């Protein structure tokens, strides 16, 4: 009787309306009942990425002794024993045992280490059961559960979104797209839409960068998109390495040569009138002598030493022959996001009034030494921001939130601005949250509070800070902040801003524009919110990149010098 778990039929959930998805999975906004959830858990199995059957110790041992060369050695030991040559038989047997033991210990330790990496603490997920929000282990989620999502949370299963409030999800783990994706609840009509365009879906293993949402679990475990990738990886068969193939070929050639030589010796002995017993003894001795008993042990010992050296460099070798395979590499295909890059968006450039300011995280200019426009940009990047920056016990900044916003927080922090104190001194009075249609965000603050941070610029009244896409803000700009203060935003300034935007974008940067508008005392909050994104004064542009890891350049150069070609494969959408 098969113990295979039933699966949810393959459904293009992104095409379903919210109501239809709930009906299809026989659930409601209040979630499942506890009894139904338990029944579905037994039906569909736990929400886990399962591995194909782990390799047993016996299979690991068999893998060490199943090569042609080792089987020949075992045969030679048996023949030596049969002939009464105990010393030779013992020596060959010791070599076989040493060979098998070295390979077994190395590969068993690697399997145990990999298994330990998988044994993570099971996260808790907030889901609705019997109409109440409860916390359950993510492994107990089932299709039909209704899950809540908050900023920073890992999406625990494939979800059809039921609610999305400024929800943005970072899908680099699945699609390679380093920029968070704006989510919504409207169904996507096209059946074959790529994963990155299914805006009403959230997939297992991705992370909520900002906002909040509610999702309906439509797939768990190996039925998720992440599980399908795991299945493909597990279906890849093992192949012998070039060294293993050559050793097997040599073993077969030696075995054939041994048989031929033994036959010739026996034939010549028969012509000379030797007895049958002497002929058999001589032929077997010649066959055993042909076998290089030390070769397998020397190869295994050499590979084991290589594996230990790599382990000291934080590289875990699962199978010993992989050491030899790595030595034969001619092309390396590598992922980009998080592998070649840090997957950490970083503000590297301010462009203010045509002047470019390079931001270096190790030697950032103090904020007081920056032009006034750059100082205001740094403050705006902190206040018009939904991210958070806290210092740990060692004083290292810990950032949470959408990567673009954390990049602005880090830039301000590196310039010496106390981000927490800035938000405390100048809290929001009003705001227009970011959305994908406007492509910008605005917050309103008391001008006198901002004047405490950047003295002598703003007085009474209020100020709105706006950040967003360059094209959207330029069309709403009437002035630009220069060294001499605000100047009319004429055609010359417009061309200069567009050129700066193009130049920064051509260098692989994501470019944001930062602007502000002041309001006279007595202006109502509603009027300020309504006018926050018109008649703007442009402060400047910010260039943001996902920087490469510092070790990438020397690593690629070393590969080139070794004759290895490196190829970047990215899932950037």
């Amino acid at each position: 009787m098969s113990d295979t778990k039933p699966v949810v039929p393959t459904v293009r959930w992104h095409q379903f309306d919210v109501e239809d998805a709930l009906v299809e999975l026989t659930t409601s906004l209040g979630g499942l009942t506890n009894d139904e959830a338990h029944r579905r858990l037994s039906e569909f199995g736990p929400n886990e990425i399962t591995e194909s059957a782990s390799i047993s110790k016996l299979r690991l041992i068999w893998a060490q002794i199943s090569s042609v060369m080792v089987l020949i050695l075992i045969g030679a030991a048996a023949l030596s024993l049969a002939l009464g040559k105990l010393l030779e038989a013992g020596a060959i047997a010791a070599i076989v045992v040493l060979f098998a033991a070295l390979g077994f210990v190395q590969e068993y330790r690697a399997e145990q280490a990999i298994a330990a990496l998988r044994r993570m603490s099971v996260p808790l997920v907030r889901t609705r059961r019997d109409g109440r929000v409860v916390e359950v282990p993510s492994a107990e989620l089932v299709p039909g559960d209704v899950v809540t999502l908050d900023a920073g949370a890992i999406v625990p299963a494939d979800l059809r979104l039921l609610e999305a409030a400024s929800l943005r999800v970072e899908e680099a783990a699945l699609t390679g797209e380093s920029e968070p994706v704006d989510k919504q609840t409207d169904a996507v009509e096209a059946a074959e839409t790529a994963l990155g365009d299914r805006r009403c879906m959230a997939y297992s293993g991705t992370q909520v960068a900002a906002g909040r949402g509610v999702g309906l679990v439509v797939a768990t475990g190996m039925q998720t998109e992440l599980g399908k990738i795991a299945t493909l990886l597990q279906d890849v068969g093992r192949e012998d390495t070039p060294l293993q193939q050559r050793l097997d070929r040599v073993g077969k050639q030696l075995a054939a040569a041994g048989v031929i030589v033994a036959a010739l010796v026996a034939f010549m002995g028969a012509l000379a009138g030797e007895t049958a017993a002497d002929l058999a003894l001589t032929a077997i001795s010649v066959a055993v002598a042909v076998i290089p008993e030390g070769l397998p042990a020397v190869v295994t010992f050499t590979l084991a030493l290589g594996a230990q050296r790599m382990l000291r460099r934080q590289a875990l070798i699962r199978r010993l022959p992989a050491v030899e395979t790595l030595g034969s590499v001619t092309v390396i295909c590598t992922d980009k996001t998080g592998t070649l890059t840090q997957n950490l968006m970083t503000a590297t450039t301010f462009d203010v009034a045509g002047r470019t300011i390079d931001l270096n995280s190790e030697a950032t200019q103090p904020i007081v030494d920056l032009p006034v426009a750059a100082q205001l940009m740094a403050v705006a990047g902190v206040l018009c921001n939904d991210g958070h920056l806290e210092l740990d016990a060692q004083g290292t900044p810990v950032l949470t939130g959408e990567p673009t916003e954390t990049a602005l927080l880090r830039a301000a922090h590196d310039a010496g601005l106390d981000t927490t104190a800035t938000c405390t001194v100048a809290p929001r009075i009003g705001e227009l949250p970011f959305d994908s249609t406007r492509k910008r965000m605005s917050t309103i603050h008391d001008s006198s509070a901002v004047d405490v941070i950047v003295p002598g610029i703003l007085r009474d009244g209020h100020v709105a800070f706006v950040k967003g896409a360059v094209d959207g803000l330029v069309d709403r700009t009437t002035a630009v902040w220069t060294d001499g203060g605000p100047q009319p935003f004429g055609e010359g300034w417009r061309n200069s801003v567009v050129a700066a935007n193009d130049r920064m974008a051509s260098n692989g940067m994501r470019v944001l524009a930062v602007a502000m508008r002041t309001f006279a005392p007595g202006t109502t909050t509603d009027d300020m919110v309504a006018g926050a994104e018109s008649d703007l004064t442009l402060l400047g542009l910010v260039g943001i990149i996902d920087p490469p890891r510092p070790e990438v350049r020397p690593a690629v150069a070393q590969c080139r010098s070794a004759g290895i070609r490196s190829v970047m494969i990215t899932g950037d959408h």
Side-chain angles (χ1 to χ4, degrees), residues 45-129:
N47 177 34
E48 297 173 333
I49 301 297
T50 58
E51 186 186 16
S52 54
S54 58
I55 301 176
S56 66
K57 294 180 182 178
L58 290 177
R59 285 185 61 190
L60 279 177
I61 294 174
W62 173 248
Q64 309 307 316
I65 63 175
S66 58
S67 67
V68 173
M69 183 73 75
V70 177
L71 292 176
I72 291 175
L73 287 179
I74 293 173
L79 289 174
S80 297
L81 188 62
L83 294 174
K85 296 188 175 182
L86 301 182
L87 183 61
E88 289 83 349
I92 297 174
I95 290 172
V96 172
V97 171
L98 176 63
F99 171 85
L102 278 174
F104 172 79
V105 169
Q106 176 65 32
E107 295 189 16
Y108 180 73
R109 288 173 59 187
E111 290 288 341
Q112 293 297 104
I114 292 171
L117 291 176
R118 297 192 191 98
R119 288 195 293 268
M120 300 290 186
S121 57
V122 179
L124 295 177
V125 180
R126 286 187 297 159
T127 186
R128 297 175 184 175
R129 297 275 174 89

Side-chain angles (χ1 to χ4, degrees), residues 547-573:
R549 294 182 181 275
E551 61 269 25
V552 166
R553 182 185 293 272
V556 171
Q558 191 170 8
C559 286
R560 284 181 176 174
S561 65
I564 300 173
R565 187 164 65 96
S566 54
V567 178
M568 182 179 73
I569 299 178
T570 176
D572 280 356
H573 182 53

